[in-house]
Amino acid sequence: MKETRIVKYIKSLIRNHKYLTTEEIMLMLERYYNLPISVPSVYYKYKKIIRLCRQEVYKERRRKKRREAR
């Protein structure tokens, strides 16, 4: 996935907060980036992006945990 400004923002939210739901992240995107979340195509596009970001961040965490265990 391309490391755009919004993707970096989403990843930082996922990393720095204990757990945020997809809807909470959407509301933040709407507030700070003025995304029209009420439009279904935009909603589903960013829902997918958030899911992919979450997977990447969790993968990084697992990697880091494995390294520390050695």
Side-chain angles (χ1 to χ4, degrees):
M1 181 178 6
K2 206 170 182 184
E3 281 288 317
T4 61
R5 193 169 37 132
I6 293 181
V7 168
K8 286 180 183 177
Y9 177 69
I10 293 170
K11 283 183 177 182
S12 73
L13 287 175
I14 295 168
R15 277 188 198 107
N16 298 328
H17 294 276
K18 195 66 178 170
Y19 182 79
L20 288 175
T21 63
T22 303
E23 275 65 34
E24 290 169 335
I25 294 173
M26 294 275 199
L27 290 172
M28 290 178 171
L29 290 175
E30 188 175 34
R31 186 182 312 149
Y32 296 117
Y33 289 100
N34 298 321
L35 289 176
I37 294 300
S38 55
V39 177
S41 62
V42 175
Y43 176 83
Y44 288 110
K45 176 185 177 186
Y46 280 95
K47 188 173 180 178
K48 181 181 178 187
I49 290 173
I50 291 169
R51 189 170 46 84
L52 294 174
C53 287
R54 209 182 288 278
Q55 286 175 352
E56 285 183 31
V57 169
Y58 290 170
K59 201 178 287 181
E60 287 170 16
R61 273 190 205 162
R62 284 194 303 273
R63 246 186 254 130
K64 186 178 176 188
K65 203 172 184 181
R66 260 190 253 138
R67 278 195 206 117
E68 288 174 0
R70 289 183 186 169

Coordinates of all heavy atoms in Angstrom, one line a residue:
M1 N 0.8 -1.2 0.0 CA 0.0 0.0 0.0 C 0.9 1.2 0.0 O 1.9 1.3 0.6 CB -0.9 0.0 1.2 CG -1.8 1.1 1.3 SD -3.0 1.2 2.7 CE -2.5 -0.1 3.7
K2 N 0.5 2.2 -0.7 CA 1.2 3.5 -0.8 C 1.2 4.3 0.5 O 0.1 4.4 1.1 CB 0.6 4.3 -1.9 CG 1.5 5.3 -2.6 CD 0.8 5.8 -3.8 CE 1.7 6.8 -4.6 NZ 1.0 7.4 -5.7
E3 N 2.3 4.7 0.9 CA 2.4 5.5 2.2 C 2.0 6.9 2.0 O 2.9 7.8 2.0 CB 3.9 5.4 2.7 CG 4.2 4.1 3.4 CD 3.5 4.0 4.8 OE1 3.5 4.9 5.5 OE2 3.0 2.9 5.0
T4 N 0.8 7.2 1.9 CA 0.3 8.6 1.7 C 0.2 9.2 3.1 O 0.3 8.5 4.1 CB -1.1 8.6 1.1 OG1 -2.0 7.9 1.9 CG2 -1.0 8.0 -0.3
R5 N -0.1 10.5 3.1 CA -0.3 11.2 4.4 C -1.4 10.6 5.3 O -1.2 10.4 6.5 CB -0.6 12.7 4.1 CG -0.4 13.6 5.2 CD -0.5 15.0 4.7 NE -1.5 15.2 3.6 CZ -2.4 16.2 3.5 NH1 -2.5 17.0 4.4 NH2 -3.2 16.2 2.5
I6 N -2.5 10.3 4.6 CA -3.6 9.7 5.4 C -3.3 8.3 5.9 O -3.6 8.0 7.0 CB -4.9 9.7 4.5 CG1 -5.3 11.2 4.2 CG2 -6.0 8.9 5.2 CD1 -6.6 11.3 3.4
V7 N -2.6 7.5 5.1 CA -2.2 6.2 5.6 C -1.3 6.3 6.7 O -1.5 5.6 7.7 CB -1.6 5.4 4.4 CG1 -1.0 4.1 4.9 CG2 -2.6 5.1 3.3
K8 N -0.3 7.2 6.7 CA 0.6 7.4 7.8 C -0.2 7.8 9.1 O 0.1 7.4 10.2 CB 1.6 8.4 7.5 CG 2.7 7.9 6.5 CD 3.7 9.0 6.2 CE 4.7 8.5 5.2 NZ 5.7 9.5 4.9
Y9 N -1.2 8.7 8.9 CA -2.0 9.2 10.0 C -2.8 8.0 10.6 O -2.8 7.8 11.8 CB -2.9 10.3 9.5 CG -3.9 10.8 10.6 CD1 -3.4 11.5 11.6 CD2 -5.2 10.5 10.5 CE1 -4.3 12.0 12.6 CE2 -6.1 11.0 11.4 CZ -5.6 11.7 12.5 OH -6.5 12.2 13.4
I10 N -3.4 7.2 9.8 CA -4.2 6.0 10.3 C -3.3 5.1 11.0 O -3.6 4.6 12.1 CB -4.9 5.3 9.1 CG1 -5.9 6.2 8.5 CG2 -5.5 4.0 9.6 CD1 -6.5 5.7 7.2
K11 N -2.1 4.8 10.5 CA -1.2 3.9 11.2 C -0.7 4.5 12.5 O -0.6 3.7 13.5 CB 0.1 3.6 10.3 CG -0.2 2.6 9.2 CD 1.0 2.3 8.4 CE 0.8 1.3 7.3 NZ 2.1 1.0 6.6
S12 N -0.5 5.7 12.6 CA -0.1 6.3 13.8 C -1.2 6.3 14.9 O -0.9 6.0 16.0 CB 0.4 7.8 13.6 OG -0.7 8.6 13.4
L13 N -2.4 6.4 14.4 CA -3.6 6.3 15.3 C -3.6 4.9 15.9 O -3.8 4.7 17.1 CB -4.9 6.6 14.6 CG -5.2 8.1 14.3 CD1 -6.5 8.2 13.5 CD2 -5.3 8.9 15.6
I14 N -3.5 3.9 15.0 CA -3.5 2.5 15.4 C -2.4 2.2 16.4 O -2.6 1.5 17.4 CB -3.5 1.6 14.2 CG1 -4.8 1.8 13.4 CG2 -3.4 0.1 14.6 CD1 -4.8 1.1 12.0
R15 N -1.2 2.7 16.1 CA 0.0 2.4 17.0 C -0.2 3.1 18.3 O 0.2 2.5 19.3 CB 1.2 3.0 16.3 CG 1.8 2.1 15.3 CD 3.2 2.6 14.8 NE 3.5 2.0 13.6 CZ 3.5 2.6 12.4 NH1 3.2 3.9 12.3 NH2 3.8 1.9 11.3
N16 N -0.6 4.3 18.3 CA -0.5 5.2 19.6 C -1.7 5.1 20.5 O -1.7 5.6 21.6 CB -0.3 6.6 19.2 CG 1.1 6.8 18.4 OD1 2.0 6.0 18.7 ND2 1.1 7.7 17.5
H17 N -2.8 4.5 20.1 CA -4.0 4.4 20.9 C -4.2 2.9 21.2 O -3.9 2.0 20.4 CB -5.2 5.0 20.2 CG -5.1 6.4 20.0 ND1 -5.4 7.3 21.0 CD2 -4.7 7.2 19.0 CE1 -5.2 8.6 20.6 NE2 -4.8 8.5 19.4
K18 N -4.7 2.6 22.4 CA -4.9 1.3 22.8 C -5.7 0.5 21.8 O -5.3 -0.5 21.2 CB -5.6 1.2 24.2 CG -5.5 -0.1 24.9 CD -4.1 -0.4 25.3 CE -4.0 -1.7 26.0 NZ -2.7 -2.2 26.2
Y19 N -7.0 0.9 21.5 CA -7.7 0.4 20.4 C -8.8 1.4 20.0 O -9.5 1.9 20.8 CB -8.4 -0.9 20.8 CG -9.2 -1.5 19.7 CD1 -8.5 -2.3 18.7 CD2 -10.6 -1.3 19.5 CE1 -9.2 -2.8 17.6 CE2 -11.2 -1.8 18.4 CZ -10.5 -2.5 17.5 OH -11.2 -3.0 16.4
L20 N -8.8 1.7 18.7 CA -9.8 2.5 18.1 C -10.6 1.7 17.1 O -10.1 1.0 16.3 CB -9.2 3.7 17.4 CG -8.5 4.8 18.2 CD1 -7.8 5.8 17.3 CD2 -9.5 5.5 19.1
T21 N -11.9 1.9 17.2 CA -12.8 1.2 16.2 C -12.6 1.9 14.9 O -12.1 3.0 14.8 CB -14.3 1.2 16.6 OG1 -14.7 2.6 16.6 CG2 -14.5 0.5 18.0
T22 N -13.0 1.2 13.8 CA -13.0 1.7 12.5 C -13.8 3.0 12.4 O -13.4 4.0 11.8 CB -13.5 0.7 11.5 OG1 -12.7 -0.5 11.6 CG2 -13.4 1.2 10.1
E23 N -14.9 3.0 13.1 CA -15.8 4.2 13.0 C -15.1 5.4 13.7 O -15.3 6.5 13.2 CB -17.2 3.9 13.7 CG -18.2 3.3 12.7 CD -17.8 1.9 12.3 OE1 -17.1 1.2 13.0 OE2 -18.1 1.6 11.1
E24 N -14.5 5.2 14.8 CA -13.8 6.3 15.5 C -12.7 6.9 14.6 O -12.5 8.1 14.5 CB -13.1 5.8 16.8 CG -14.2 5.5 17.9 CD -13.6 4.7 19.1 OE1 -12.6 4.1 18.9 OE2 -14.2 4.9 20.1
I25 N -11.9 6.0 13.9 CA -10.9 6.5 13.0 C -11.5 7.2 11.9 O -11.0 8.3 11.5 CB -10.1 5.3 12.5 CG1 -9.3 4.6 13.6 CG2 -9.1 5.7 11.4 CD1 -8.5 3.4 13.3
M26 N -12.7 6.8 11.3 CA -13.4 7.4 10.3 C -13.8 8.9 10.7 O -13.6 9.8 9.9 CB -14.7 6.7 9.9 CG -14.5 5.4 9.3 SD -14.2 5.5 7.5 CE -14.5 3.9 7.1
L27 N -14.3 9.0 11.9 CA -14.7 10.3 12.4 C -13.5 11.3 12.5 O -13.6 12.4 12.2 CB -15.3 10.2 13.8 CG -16.7 9.5 13.8 CD1 -17.2 9.3 15.2 CD2 -17.7 10.4 13.0
M28 N -12.3 10.7 12.9 CA -11.1 11.6 12.9 C -10.7 12.0 11.5 O -10.3 13.1 11.3 CB -10.0 10.8 13.6 CG -10.2 10.7 15.1 SD -8.9 9.7 15.8 CE -9.2 9.9 17.5
L29 N -10.8 11.1 10.6 CA -10.5 11.4 9.2 C -11.4 12.5 8.7 O -11.0 13.4 8.0 CB -10.5 10.2 8.3 CG -9.5 9.1 8.5 CD1 -9.8 7.9 7.6 CD2 -8.1 9.7 8.2
E30 N -12.7 12.3 9.0 CA -13.7 13.3 8.6 C -13.4 14.7 9.2 O -13.4 15.7 8.5 CB -15.1 12.9 9.0 CG -16.2 13.7 8.5 CD -17.5 13.1 8.8 OE1 -17.7 12.6 10.0 OE2 -18.4 13.2 8.0
R31 N -13.0 14.7 10.4 CA -12.7 16.0 11.1 C -11.4 16.7 10.6 O -11.4 17.8 10.2 CB -12.6 15.8 12.6 CG -12.4 17.1 13.3 CD -12.3 16.9 14.8 NE -13.2 16.0 15.4 CZ -12.9 15.2 16.5 NH1 -11.8 15.3 17.1 NH2 -13.9 14.4 16.9
Y32 N -10.3 15.9 10.5 CA -9.0 16.5 10.1 C -8.7 16.6 8.7 O -8.0 17.4 8.2 CB -7.9 15.8 10.9 CG -8.0 15.9 12.4 CD1 -8.2 14.8 13.2 CD2 -8.0 17.1 13.0 CE1 -8.4 14.9 14.5 CE2 -8.1 17.3 14.3 CZ -8.3 16.1 15.1 OH -8.5 16.3 16.5
Y33 N -9.3 15.7 7.9 CA -9.0 15.7 6.4 C -10.3 16.0 5.6 O -10.2 16.0 4.4 CB -8.5 14.3 6.0 CG -7.0 14.1 6.5 CD1 -6.8 13.3 7.6 CD2 -6.0 14.7 5.8 CE1 -5.5 13.2 8.0 CE2 -4.7 14.6 6.3 CZ -4.4 13.8 7.4 OH -3.2 13.6 7.8
N34 N -11.4 16.4 6.2 CA -12.6 16.7 5.6 C -13.1 15.7 4.5 O -13.5 16.1 3.5 CB -12.5 18.1 4.9 CG -12.2 19.2 5.9 OD1 -12.8 19.2 7.0 ND2 -11.3 20.1 5.6
L35 N -12.9 14.4 4.9 CA -13.4 13.4 4.0 C -14.9 13.2 4.1 O -15.4 13.2 5.2 CB -12.8 12.0 4.4 CG -11.3 11.9 4.1 CD1 -10.8 10.5 4.6 CD2 -11.0 12.0 2.6
P36 N -15.6 13.1 3.0 CA -17.1 12.9 3.1 C -17.4 11.5 3.4 O -17.8 10.7 2.5 CB -17.5 13.3 1.6 CG -16.3 13.0 0.8 CD -15.1 13.2 1.6
I37 N -17.3 11.1 4.7 CA -17.6 9.8 5.1 C -19.0 9.3 4.9 O -19.3 8.1 4.7 CB -17.2 9.6 6.6 CG1 -15.7 9.8 6.8 CG2 -17.6 8.3 7.2 CD1 -14.8 8.9 6.0
S38 N -19.9 10.2 4.8 CA -21.3 9.9 4.6 C -21.5 9.3 3.1 O -22.6 8.7 2.9 CB -22.2 11.1 4.8 OG -21.8 12.1 4.0
V39 N -20.6 9.5 2.2 CA -20.7 8.9 0.9 C -20.3 7.5 1.0 O -19.1 7.2 1.4 CB -19.8 9.7 -0.1 CG1 -19.9 9.1 -1.5 CG2 -20.2 11.2 -0.2
P40 N -21.1 6.5 0.5 CA -20.8 5.1 0.7 C -19.4 4.7 0.0 O -18.7 3.9 0.6 CB -21.9 4.4 0.0 CG -23.1 5.4 0.2 CD -22.5 6.7 0.1
S41 N -19.2 5.2 -1.2 CA -17.9 4.8 -1.8 C -16.7 5.2 -1.0 O -15.7 4.4 -0.9 CB -17.9 5.3 -3.2 OG -17.9 6.7 -3.2
V42 N -16.7 6.4 -0.5 CA -15.6 6.9 0.3 C -15.5 6.0 1.6 O -14.4 5.6 2.0 CB -15.8 8.4 0.7 CG1 -14.7 8.9 1.6 CG2 -15.8 9.2 -0.6
Y43 N -16.7 5.8 2.2 CA -16.7 5.0 3.5 C -16.1 3.7 3.3 O -15.2 3.2 4.1 CB -18.2 4.9 4.0 CG -18.3 4.0 5.2 CD1 -18.1 4.6 6.5 CD2 -18.6 2.7 5.1 CE1 -18.2 3.8 7.6 CE2 -18.7 1.9 6.2 CZ -18.5 2.4 7.4 OH -18.7 1.6 8.6
Y44 N -16.5 2.9 2.3 CA -16.0 1.6 2.1 C -14.5 1.6 1.6 O -13.8 0.7 2.0 CB -16.9 0.8 1.1 CG -18.2 0.4 1.7 CD1 -19.4 1.1 1.3 CD2 -18.2 -0.5 2.7 CE1 -20.6 0.8 1.9 CE2 -19.4 -0.8 3.4 CZ -20.6 -0.2 3.0 OH -21.8 -0.5 3.6
K45 N -14.1 2.6 0.9 CA -12.7 2.7 0.5 C -11.8 2.8 1.7 O -10.8 2.1 1.9 CB -12.5 3.9 -0.5 CG -11.1 4.1 -0.8 CD -10.9 5.4 -1.7 CE -9.4 5.6 -2.0 NZ -9.2 6.9 -2.6
Y46 N -12.2 3.7 2.6 CA -11.4 3.9 3.8 C -11.5 2.8 4.8 O -10.6 2.6 5.6 CB -11.6 5.3 4.4 CG -10.9 6.3 3.6 CD1 -11.5 7.0 2.5 CD2 -9.5 6.6 3.8 CE1 -10.7 7.9 1.7 CE2 -8.8 7.4 3.0 CZ -9.4 8.1 2.0 OH -8.7 9.0 1.2
K47 N -12.6 2.2 4.8 CA -12.8 1.0 5.7 C -11.8 -0.1 5.3 O -11.1 -0.6 6.2 CB -14.2 0.5 5.6 CG -14.5 -0.6 6.6 CD -16.0 -1.0 6.5 CE -16.3 -2.0 7.6 NZ -17.7 -2.4 7.6
K48 N -11.6 -0.3 4.0 CA -10.6 -1.2 3.5 C -9.2 -0.8 3.9 O -8.4 -1.6 4.3 CB -10.8 -1.4 2.0 CG -9.8 -2.4 1.4 CD -10.0 -2.6 0.0 CE -9.0 -3.6 -0.6 NZ -8.9 -3.6 -2.0
I49 N -8.9 0.5 3.7 CA -7.6 1.0 4.0 C -7.3 0.9 5.4 O -6.2 0.5 5.8 CB -7.5 2.5 3.5 CG1 -7.5 2.6 2.0 CG2 -6.2 3.1 4.1 CD1 -7.5 4.0 1.4
I50 N -8.2 1.2 6.3 CA -8.0 1.0 7.8 C -7.7 -0.4 8.1 O -6.9 -0.7 8.9 CB -9.2 1.6 8.5 CG1 -9.3 3.1 8.4 CG2 -9.2 1.2 10.0 CD1 -10.6 3.7 8.9
R51 N -8.5 -1.3 7.5 CA -8.3 -2.8 7.8 C -6.9 -3.2 7.4 O -6.2 -3.9 8.1 CB -9.3 -3.6 7.0 CG -9.3 -5.1 7.4 CD -10.5 -5.8 6.8 NE -10.7 -5.5 5.4 CZ -10.1 -6.1 4.4 NH1 -9.2 -7.1 4.6 NH2 -10.4 -5.8 3.1
L52 N -6.4 -2.8 6.2 CA -5.1 -3.1 5.7 C -4.0 -2.5 6.6 O -3.0 -3.1 7.0 CB -4.9 -2.6 4.3 CG -5.7 -3.4 3.3 CD1 -5.5 -2.7 1.9 CD2 -5.3 -4.8 3.2
C53 N -4.2 -1.2 7.1 CA -3.2 -0.6 8.0 C -3.2 -1.3 9.3 O -2.1 -1.5 9.8 CB -3.7 0.9 8.2 SG -3.4 2.0 6.8
R54 N -4.3 -1.7 9.8 CA -4.3 -2.5 11.1 C -3.5 -3.8 10.9 O -2.7 -4.1 11.8 CB -5.8 -2.8 11.4 CG -6.0 -2.9 12.9 CD -7.5 -3.2 13.2 NE -8.4 -2.2 13.0 CZ -8.7 -1.2 13.9 NH1 -8.0 -1.1 15.0 NH2 -9.6 -0.3 13.6
Q55 N -3.7 -4.5 9.8 CA -2.9 -5.7 9.6 C -1.4 -5.4 9.6 O -0.7 -6.2 10.2 CB -3.4 -6.3 8.3 CG -4.7 -7.0 8.3 CD -5.1 -7.5 6.9 OE1 -4.5 -7.3 5.9 NE2 -6.2 -8.2 6.9
E56 N -1.0 -4.4 8.9 CA 0.4 -4.1 8.8 C 1.0 -3.7 10.2 O 2.1 -4.2 10.5 CB 0.6 -2.9 7.9 CG 0.5 -3.3 6.4 CD 0.8 -2.1 5.5 OE1 1.6 -1.3 5.8 OE2 0.2 -2.1 4.4
V57 N 0.2 -2.9 10.9 CA 0.7 -2.5 12.3 C 0.8 -3.7 13.2 O 1.8 -3.8 13.9 CB -0.2 -1.4 12.9 CG1 0.1 -1.1 14.3 CG2 -0.1 -0.1 12.1
Y58 N -0.2 -4.6 13.2 CA -0.2 -5.7 14.0 C 1.0 -6.7 13.6 O 1.6 -7.3 14.5 CB -1.5 -6.5 14.0 CG -2.6 -5.7 14.7 CD1 -3.9 -6.2 14.5 CD2 -2.4 -4.6 15.4 CE1 -5.0 -5.5 15.1 CE2 -3.4 -3.9 16.0 CZ -4.7 -4.4 15.9 OH -5.7 -3.7 16.5
K59 N 1.3 -6.8 12.3 CA 2.4 -7.6 11.8 C 3.7 -7.0 12.4 O 4.6 -7.8 12.8 CB 2.4 -7.6 10.3 CG 3.1 -8.7 9.7 CD 3.1 -8.7 8.2 CE 1.7 -9.1 7.7 NZ 1.6 -9.1 6.2
E60 N 3.8 -5.7 12.3 CA 5.0 -5.0 12.9 C 5.2 -5.4 14.4 O 6.3 -5.7 14.8 CB 5.0 -3.5 12.8 CG 5.1 -3.0 11.4 CD 4.8 -1.5 11.3 OE1 4.7 -0.8 12.4 OE2 4.6 -1.0 10.2
R61 N 4.1 -5.3 15.1 CA 4.1 -5.6 16.5 C 4.6 -7.0 16.8 O 5.4 -7.3 17.7 CB 2.7 -5.5 17.2 CG 2.4 -4.1 17.6 CD 1.1 -4.1 18.4 NE 0.5 -2.8 18.3 CZ -0.7 -2.5 18.6 NH1 -1.5 -3.5 19.0 NH2 -1.2 -1.3 18.5
R62 N 4.1 -8.0 16.0 CA 4.5 -9.4 16.2 C 6.0 -9.5 15.9 O 6.7 -10.2 16.6 CB 3.7 -10.3 15.3 CG 2.2 -10.5 15.8 CD 1.6 -11.7 15.1 NE 1.5 -11.6 13.6 CZ 0.6 -10.9 12.9 NH1 -0.4 -10.4 13.6 NH2 0.6 -10.9 11.6
R63 N 6.4 -8.9 14.8 CA 7.8 -8.9 14.5 C 8.7 -8.4 15.6 O 9.7 -9.0 16.0 CB 8.1 -8.1 13.2 CG 8.5 -9.0 12.0 CD 8.9 -8.1 10.8 NE 7.9 -8.2 9.8 CZ 7.3 -7.2 9.2 NH1 7.6 -6.0 9.5 NH2 6.3 -7.4 8.3
K64 N 8.3 -7.2 16.1 CA 9.1 -6.6 17.2 C 9.1 -7.5 18.4 O 10.1 -7.7 19.1 CB 8.4 -5.3 17.5 CG 9.2 -4.5 18.5 CD 8.6 -3.1 18.8 CE 9.3 -2.3 19.9 NZ 8.6 -1.1 20.3
K65 N 7.9 -8.1 18.8 CA 7.9 -9.0 19.9 C 8.8 -10.2 19.8 O 9.4 -10.6 20.7 CB 6.4 -9.4 20.1 CG 6.0 -9.8 21.5 CD 4.5 -10.1 21.6 CE 4.1 -10.4 23.0 NZ 2.7 -10.6 23.1
R66 N 8.8 -10.8 18.5 CA 9.6 -11.9 18.3 C 11.1 -11.6 18.4 O 11.9 -12.3 19.0 CB 9.4 -12.4 16.9 CG 8.5 -13.7 16.9 CD 8.4 -14.3 15.5 NE 7.1 -14.0 15.0 CZ 6.9 -13.7 13.7 NH1 7.9 -13.6 12.8 NH2 5.7 -13.4 13.3
R67 N 11.5 -10.4 17.9 CA 12.9 -9.9 18.0 C 13.3 -9.8 19.5 O 14.4 -10.1 19.9 CB 13.1 -8.6 17.3 CG 13.3 -8.8 15.8 CD 13.8 -7.5 15.2 NE 13.5 -7.5 13.8 CZ 12.7 -6.5 13.3 NH1 12.2 -5.5 14.0 NH2 12.4 -6.6 12.0
E68 N 12.4 -9.2 20.3 CA 12.7 -9.0 21.7 C 12.8 -10.3 22.5 O 13.5 -10.4 23.4 CB 11.7 -8.1 22.4 CG 11.8 -6.7 21.9 CD 10.7 -5.8 22.4 OE1 9.8 -6.3 23.1 OE2 10.7 -4.6 22.1
A69 N 12.1 -11.3 22.0 CA 12.1 -12.6 22.7 C 13.4 -13.3 22.5 O 13.8 -14.1 23.3 CB 11.0 -13.5 22.2
R70 N 14.2 -13.0 21.4 CA 15.4 -13.7 21.2 C 16.5 -13.3 22.1 O 16.7 -12.4 22.7 CB 15.9 -13.4 19.7 CG 15.0 -14.1 18.7 CD 15.6 -13.8 17.4 NE 14.6 -14.4 16.4 CZ 14.7 -14.2 15.1 NH1 15.6 -13.4 14.6 NH2 13.9 -14.7 14.3

